[in-house]
Amino acid sequence: MARIELRMPELGNEITEAQIDAILKGTGDMVSEGEEIVTITTPKVTMDLEAPATGTVLEVLIEVDDIVAVGTVLAVIET
Amino acid sequence: MAKSIHIDPIATRSPTELASKRIPVHAYARALADEHRVRGADALLEALRHMMVIRAFESGIASLKSTGSYGDLTYAYKGPAHLSIGQEAAAVGAAMALTPEDHIFGSHRSHGEFLAKGLAAIQMLGDNALTTIMEAHGDGALLRTVETHLPDESGRGLAENFLLMGLLAEMFMREIGFNGGMGGSMHAFFTPFGAYPNNAIVGASAGIATGAGLWMKSEGRDSIAVSMVGDGATGCGPVWEALNFAGMAQFERLWDNAGFLPVLFFFTNNFYAMGGQTSGETMSWDRLARIGVGLREDACHAETVDGTNPLAVADAVQRKRQLLLDGKGPAILDVECYRFSGHSTTDVNAYRTKNEIAAWGAVDPIGTFRESLVAEGILDTATADAIQSDVDARMNAVFMAAADPAIAPPPGLGSDGAGIGRKMFTGSETPPDRHAPEPLADPAKVVRIRKNAKKSRGGRDANGELISPLKAITLRDGLFEAILHAALIDPRIIIYGEECREWGGAFGVYRGLADLFPHDRVFNAPISEAAIVATAIGAAMEGGRPLVELMYADFIGRAGDELFNQLAKWQAMSNGLLNIPVVVRCSVGSKYGAQHSQDWSGLAAHVPGLKIIYPATPRDAKGLMASALASDNPVIVFESQRLYDQVELFQDGVPEGNYKIPIGVPDIKHVGSDVTVLTIGPTLYPVLEAADSLAGRGVSLEIIDARSLVPFDYGPVLESVAKTGRLLLVSEACERGSFAMTLATNVTRFAFDALKAPPRVLGSPNWIVPGADLEHGYFPQPFDIEDAVMTDLMGDAGHNRTGSRRWDDLALARSGL
C-alpha cells in the first residue's frame, strides 16, 4: 500500500498554471496506470493527465475551473 | 483525424522492397489515319494553323528585336523576348485536350502556350459566348479597337484578332493589352479562355497551379489546373513542394471528398535551362519523367512524350486529364521539344552546336506536321500555303495596329503620376455570395468556445488587478474569435499551415476549429512554406480566401518568392482583373535565438503590394484580423509570441460580437504631453513601463501603437508631434532599414517645424538575436526607452543611464553594425 500523488506537471518553462477542465475519476474509483483522471487547459493546449499508478482514488483535491500552479497535488491514489 | 492512422512498428519495420510503376517513353504510336478518323480533318488542320499563328507571332517579335522591323512595321520593341520557336506542338497539343474551364499557369516563355490555349478556347466556345467575353473585358475597349482597326471579321476570326491584339498590346505596354500593359511579355493572361497568369519566376507556376487545383477540388469542379513550366524548373525547390502538396495522402485518406488534386505538371522540356543543359549537366535525372518515381508508387503517372508532335501531346494530356478528374492525380508529363530561338535575344548559342540545332530543324514540328497531313491527303500544298498567307497577313495587320499609339495608346499615369500605384490595392471587401455549410458541431459546445464564454472580456478585475490569461480573453482568443466568426459565415475561407488542425497551430490560436470544420476547411500542410503561400495564391485566384500560417516570421525566407513576387504583385500586374484575398499569419518569436526571433515586418513592408498589420492588444487583434479576412487584398499579420497570453488593458474589454478595426490607423494608447512614442508590435508594453517610471520624474509620454505598417495614416502621429515636438519610435526590428526608420524620416519631413529634437529610432541592434538569457540586451527594454527619452529627446545631459546601450552608433556603422 502506497499513496501516490498526481501533480500538475511542468509543461515547459513558459507555463506556470493551468485550469481544470474536467475531472474524469472520483474518490473511490479504481484506476489503471495511464488512465486519464483529469483534463486541464493551459493557454496553449488542452490535455489529459494520466494516473501515475494502478489503484484506488483516495482523494480529489481540485474542482472544475480551478486554476492550479505547476506542482500542485491534484489527486491521491492508493495502490 | 491524424490519430486514426496507426503507425505500427512491426509492419513498418518488416523487410520489403519498393517498386514503382514503369514510365513510358515515347510510347505514342497511333497512325495519323486513326487520328484523322477520330478527331476529324478540321481539328488536325486547326492544330497546324494554330502552330503557324504562334510561329508567325514569335517570328514577328524576333524580327522586331533583331532588325527593328517586321512586315510593314518599323518599331523598337523594348521588352523581353523569351521565344518558344520550335516548341509550338507542345503548346498546341496540350490546348487541344483542355477545355476553357481547365486553367493553365505558364512560364516566362509562354506566348505560345497562351496563344494555343486562347485559339483552342475560341474553337470550343460558341459565337455568343465569345461576344459576351469580349464585350465584358475592359468595357469592350479592346473589342472596339479590334473591330475598328483590323480587317472586318466576325465570330472566331474576330476573336482571334482580339486574342492576338490583346497579347501584343500587352507586350507593347498599351492600355488595351489584356492586363492594361501592367504585365507584359512574360505575364500576359486572359482568364475567360482558361489562360491564367504566366510567371517570370522559373517554377513559380507549379505552386500556384496546385492552389488552383485545391480550390477546384474544394468546389467539386469538373476541370483541371495545369502547371506549364520548363525542364529547368525541376531544379527549383518550390516545384518539388508543389508536387508533394498536390499528392498529399490526406486528400485520399482523410478528406470527405476523396481524391488527389487535379493538377497536371506539364514540363516543356527543351533540354536547356537558359544555357545549362538539364539532362547531362545540371540535373541528376537522366529523363525528366523519372522524378515521378521520387514521389509516388504510381510515379505520378509520369510519361515522356514527343513534344514535336501535337497529336502525341494531345493524346497524353487527354489521358492524364481523365486520371485527374477521377481523383488519381497529380500527373507529370515530360514533353520533349526543342527551342530553335535563343533563350532571349542576347543568346548567341554558346552552349550548343549548329549541328544540334540543324538536326532538330529537320524535325521542325510545323514542317513535319504539314508534310504528314499532305501525305495523308488531308491537306494539299496550295491550301497549306494559303493558310500560311492568311496567318501572315493577319499578323502583319495586328502588329501594325498594336504598335500605333493612336490606335493603342499607353496607359495614363494619372495627373499626379501615381496611376500605377493606384492599381496596387482595391481596398474593397467582397462578402460571400453563399452560406457556409453547417459546422460539424454546435460551436457553443466546443470546449474552447465554452471556456472563452466564461472568461472576463477585460484584463483587469474590479480592483485593477491583472486577471490570469486562463480567465480573461487574450490576444490569442481575440484572433480566434475573428477567425471563427469569418470561417462560420464564409465558405471561401480555408485555413492551413503546419500543425493547424489537431494541434491548433503551434501557439494554439486555432484550438477548437478541428471540432467544427472538416479537412477541406482546416488542414495540416507539409513543412513547405513556399507551397503553403503559393497554393494560397492559386486558390485565391480561383475564388477561395485562404488563411495560411508560417509558424515563425523567420520562415518568410522559405516563402520569399511566393510572398514578395507573387502575393504582392498579381493584383497590380493583372490590372485589377484578379484579387488575391490571402491572409498570411506569422508569429514573431523570442527566446529561441537568431533564427526564431526576428521581427521582419519591415522586410514585408518594404515590398509594395502587401498590407501589413502587427496588433498588440486582444481588441486590436480581433478587429484587425476581421478586417484582414474581409479584405480583397493580401494581408500579412505579424503576431508576437510574447503577446499571445496578453489580456486587454486599454479598453473596457474585447467586444463579444464581430467588429472590424480599419487597417492603417494607428491608435493612441496613452495620452501625454512631452514626448510622443510610436510603438510597433510588442514594444508597446516596455514603453508603458517606461512611461510609469518617467511620469515619476515629471516626463509625460504620449504612446501611439502603430497597429498597421501598410497602409499607414500619419495623421494621428503628426498631430501628436505638433503637440509634443518630440518623437521616439520603438520597434523590435533591427534598426538598419527598418520600418521605424521610414516612419521617422517621414515625420521629420512633415513635422519639421514642430520638432524640438530629431526623432529617435530605438530598435534592436544590427546583429543576431541572442538566446533567451541575453535577450534583455537586445530587444529594447524599459531602461533603454527611458535613456533614449531623457538623453536624446529631453536633452538631459545629467541623466544617469541605466539601460545597456552605451555603444556609439556611428562607430558601429563603420564596422557594418
Side-chain angles (χ1 to χ4, degrees):
Chain A
M1 297 280 272
R3 289 162 59 96
I4 311 272
E5 292 171 341
L6 170 67
R7 287 173 183 267
M8 166 66 191
E10 290 271 1
L11 296 166
N13 58 10
E14 285 162 55
I15 306 292
T16 55
E17 55 183 18
Q19 190 168 24
I20 307 300
D21 267 357
I23 298 170
L24 309 170
K25 297 288 174 186
T27 306
D29 285 353
M30 294 290 296
V31 291
S32 313
E33 186 178 337
E35 203 174 342
E36 289 93 356
I37 296 187
V38 175
T39 306
I40 62 166
T41 294
T42 73
K44 270 159 83 167
V45 294
T46 298
M47 62 184 294
D48 295 323
L49 301 183
E50 298 172 352
T54 300
T56 308
V57 178
L58 203 62
E59 279 182 285
V60 175
L61 300 163
I62 34 111
E63 290 180 21
V64 170
D65 285 350
D66 278 0
I67 291 183
V68 292
V70 167
T72 307
V73 179
L74 308 178
V76 180
I77 294 162
E78 189 174 61
T79 61
Chain B
M1 297 278 284
K3 276 183 184 169
S4 64
I5 300 171
H6 178 64
I7 302 172
D8 178 356
I10 306 297
T12 298
R13 293 158 67 234
S14 305
T16 182
E17 282 187 335
L18 299 181
S20 301
K21 210 187 96 186
R22 296 170 80 85
I23 295 175
V25 175
H26 298 302
Y28 174 83
R30 194 173 304 142
L32 184 57
D34 291 339
E35 292 280 12
H36 184 191
R37 200 176 55 248
V38 174
R39 297 181 189 274
D42 284 352
L44 303 185
L45 291 170
E46 278 302 300
L48 175 64
R49 193 175 66 84
H50 293 182
M51 291 197 289
M52 288 173 167
V53 169
I54 295 168
R55 177 73 58 95
F57 183 91
E58 292 208 305
S59 299
I61 298 296
S63 178
L64 284 184
K65 287 297 279 190
S66 57
T67 69
S69 68
Y70 164 68
D72 300 326
L73 174 67
T74 300
Y75 179 67
Y77 168 57
K78 296 176 187 162
H82 300 105
L83 305 176
S84 61
I85 293 172
Q87 303 181 178
E88 296 86 352
V92 168
M96 284 172 80
L98 299 172
T99 71
E101 289 74 37
D102 296 324
H103 296 164
I104 63 168
F105 297 77
S107 70
H108 61 294
R109 196 182 305 290
S110 54
H111 306 146
E113 293 156 6
F114 175 87
L115 289 174
K117 187 73 169 71
L119 291 165
I122 289 168
Q123 289 296 313
M124 293 171 201
L125 293 162
D127 284 357
N128 288 342
L130 288 172
T131 303
T132 308
I133 287 168
M134 293 189 289
E135 289 281 4
H137 178 67
D139 295 330
L142 172 58
L143 176 60
R144 297 286 100 77
T145 306
V146 169
E147 284 174 332
T148 311
H149 297 286
L150 290 175
D152 192 21
E153 290 205 60
S154 60
R156 288 175 182 157
L158 179 64
E160 288 192 12
N161 282 343
F162 175 89
L163 176 74
L164 291 164
M165 186 72 163
L167 175 60
L168 195 58
E170 180 61 29
M171 292 174 66
F172 292 169
M173 309 214 72
R174 306 305 172 86
E175 181 82 50
I176 56 157
F178 277 130
N179 312 115
M182 294 298 111
S185 161
M186 298 190 284
H187 309 110
F189 66 95
F190 187 62
T191 60
F193 292 160
Y196 271 62
N198 292 305
N199 217 301
I201 305 296
V202 170
S205 280
I208 295 175
T210 300
L214 174 67
W215 195 250
M216 287 174 175
K217 174 182 169 63
S218 286
E219 292 208 318
R221 290 191 210 161
D222 201 17
S223 63
I224 70 168
V226 186
S227 152
M228 288 194 154
V229 298
D231 46 324
T234 58
C236 302
V239 172
W240 289 86
E241 289 189 15
L243 283 161
N244 176 68
F245 194 104
M248 278 196 288
Q250 64 177 298
F251 294 132
E252 186 73 11
R253 299 185 67 163
L254 300 174
W255 287 41
D256 293 337
N257 48 342
F260 299 105
L261 300 188
V263 185
L264 172 58
F265 292 89
F266 183 102
F267 290 97
T268 305
N269 179 359
N270 64 20
F271 305 98
Y272 290 95
M274 202 160 159
Q277 208 163 29
T278 45
S279 173
E281 185 183 14
T282 62
M283 298 306 299
S284 284
W285 46 257
D286 52 345
R287 306 289 294 229
L288 189 154
R290 195 184 290 283
I291 66 173
V293 178
L295 290 153
R296 300 168 65 85
E297 185 178 10
D298 64 17
C300 300
H301 315 287
E303 262 185 68
T304 298
V305 299
D306 182 3
T308 70
N309 180 353
L311 302 179
V313 179
D315 163 71
V317 171
Q318 224 161 350
R319 287 184 287 107
K320 303 307 167 192
R321 183 176 184 278
Q322 193 53 55
L323 284 170
L324 297 175
L325 293 179
D326 293 342
K328 294 178 180 158
I332 290 175
L333 275 181
D334 166 17
V335 185
E336 292 184 340
C337 53
Y338 200 79
R339 152 170 71 72
F340 301 136
S341 45
H343 160 75
S344 62
T345 44
T346 55
D347 180 352
V348 293
N349 290 318
Y351 51 89
R352 55 183 182 175
T353 64
K354 283 182 183 165
N355 274 351
E356 183 182 285
I357 298 172
W360 282 91
V363 292
D364 174 3
I366 297 178
T368 306
F369 194 57
R370 176 182 148 140
E371 280 165 28
S372 61
L373 293 182
V374 171
E376 192 62 31
I378 300 167
L379 178 68
D380 61 61
T381 336
T383 311
D385 290 344
I387 296 172
Q388 184 67 61
S389 301
D390 284 352
V391 166
D392 292 341
R394 182 193 295 276
M395 208 58 70
N396 189 55
V398 168
F399 269 64
M400 292 294 287
D404 185 344
I407 296 171
L413 298 180
S415 56
D416 64 352
I420 295 173
R422 277 187 273 278
K423 297 176 191 289
M424 299 301 290
F425 300 113
T426 59
S428 58
E429 297 179 355
T430 308
D433 58 2
R434 58 193 159 99
H435 292 292
E438 283 297 306
L440 300 175
D442 176 359
K445 291 187 177 152
V446 171
V447 176
R448 167 91 178 268
I449 297 167
R450 228 172 48 217
K451 292 179 80 73
N452 278 6
K454 286 196 239 167
K455 283 182 161 188
S456 162
R457 305 302 299 184
R460 291 190 193 278
D461 64 18
N463 302 320
E465 296 295 316
L466 274 179
I467 305 176
S468 158
L470 289 165
K471 291 199 160 178
I473 294 293
T474 61
L475 185 140
R476 173 188 289 112
D477 295 324
L479 293 169
F480 172 78
E481 289 185 348
I483 293 164
L484 174 68
H485 174 83
L488 283 172
I489 61 164
D490 191 342
R492 301 167 302 175
I493 291 182
I494 53 174
I495 299 169
Y496 58 100
E498 296 147 20
E499 288 77 66
C500 281
R501 195 168 166 83
E502 293 81 8
W503 195 317
F507 310 102
V509 171
Y510 296 140
R511 195 157 43 87
L513 293 185
D515 297 335
L516 293 171
F517 299 103
H519 279 86
D520 61 353
R521 301 289 308 282
V522 179
F523 64 93
N524 291 331
I527 301 181
S528 302
E529 284 82 7
I532 288 170
V533 179
T535 54
I537 296 163
M541 286 177 177
E542 297 283 352
R545 294 175 93 90
L547 165 61
V548 295
E549 180 182 319
L550 301 179
M551 198 190 298
Y552 278 74
D554 311 70
F555 305 165
I556 281 174
R558 279 287 175 94
D561 176 62
E562 291 69 22
L563 291 167
F564 298 152
N565 278 324
Q566 311 299 334
L567 185 62
K569 301 288 194 291
W570 282 109
Q571 171 74 44
M573 281 172 67
S574 74
N575 199 32
L577 293 179
L578 294 174
N579 286 330
I580 316 290
V582 173
V583 179
V584 180
R585 292 181 47 235
C586 43
S587 78
V588 180
S590 73
K591 300 181 182 170
Y592 276 34
Q595 297 176 330
H596 275 67
S597 309
Q598 299 169 93
D599 171 358
W600 276 356
S601 57
L603 191 62
H606 176 70
V607 177
L610 302 170
K611 294 194 171 184
I612 315 287
I613 59 176
Y614 198 169
T617 71
R619 182 178 171 278
D620 289 347
K622 182 173 176 178
L624 285 167
M625 177 57 84
S627 289
L629 291 169
S631 170
D632 290 342
N633 304 134
V635 182
I636 313 287
V637 187
F638 286 85
E639 301 165 10
S640 168
Q641 287 175 24
R642 244 182 272 128
L643 299 187
Y644 280 129
D645 282 341
Q646 180 63 50
V647 295
E648 180 62 42
L649 305 182
F650 297 94
Q651 301 278 337
D652 293 341
V654 183
E656 281 185 50
N658 194 55
Y659 60 93
K660 285 188 279 194
I661 292 176
I663 296 175
V665 185
D667 186 44
I668 299 175
K669 290 287 197 280
H670 183 267
V671 175
S673 55
D674 296 321
V675 178
T676 303
V677 185
L678 179 54
T679 65
I680 297 176
T683 57
L684 171 63
Y685 296 94
V687 168
L688 277 176
E689 272 189 55
D692 272 351
S693 166
L694 287 165
R697 281 187 259 166
V699 177
S700 158
L701 302 188
E702 174 141 303
I703 305 174
I704 305 180
D705 175 3
R707 299 200 293 192
S708 310
L709 283 70
V710 183
F712 188 83
D713 178 3
Y714 281 83
V717 182
L718 296 175
E719 272 177 41
S720 176
V721 171
K723 178 173 72 177
T724 62
R726 300 182 183 91
L727 177 66
L728 173 69
L729 303 103
V730 192
S731 144
E732 290 196 339
C734 293
E735 286 178 8
R736 186 171 57 222
S738 67
F739 191 68
M741 287 291 186
T742 301
L743 294 169
T745 304
N746 281 333
V747 172
T748 305
R749 178 179 165 207
F750 292 111
F752 189 72
D753 290 343
L755 289 172
K756 297 171 186 160
R760 167 75 206 270
V761 171
L762 179 64
S764 293
N766 302 313
W767 51 77
I768 58 167
V769 188
D773 292 339
L774 296 175
E775 273 186 355
H776 59 86
Y778 185 83
F779 295 124
Q781 303 294 310
F783 290 143
D784 301 319
I785 294 158
E786 288 180 44
D787 286 350
V789 166
M790 294 310 295
T791 58
D792 293 330
L793 295 160
M794 298 304 291
D796 178 0
H799 171 70
N800 180 24
R801 297 181 73 101
T802 48
S804 61
R805 291 160 186 250
R806 288 176 295 277
W807 55 71
D808 175 347
D809 278 323
L810 293 178
L812 289 182
R814 282 195 295 276
S815 318
L817 301 174

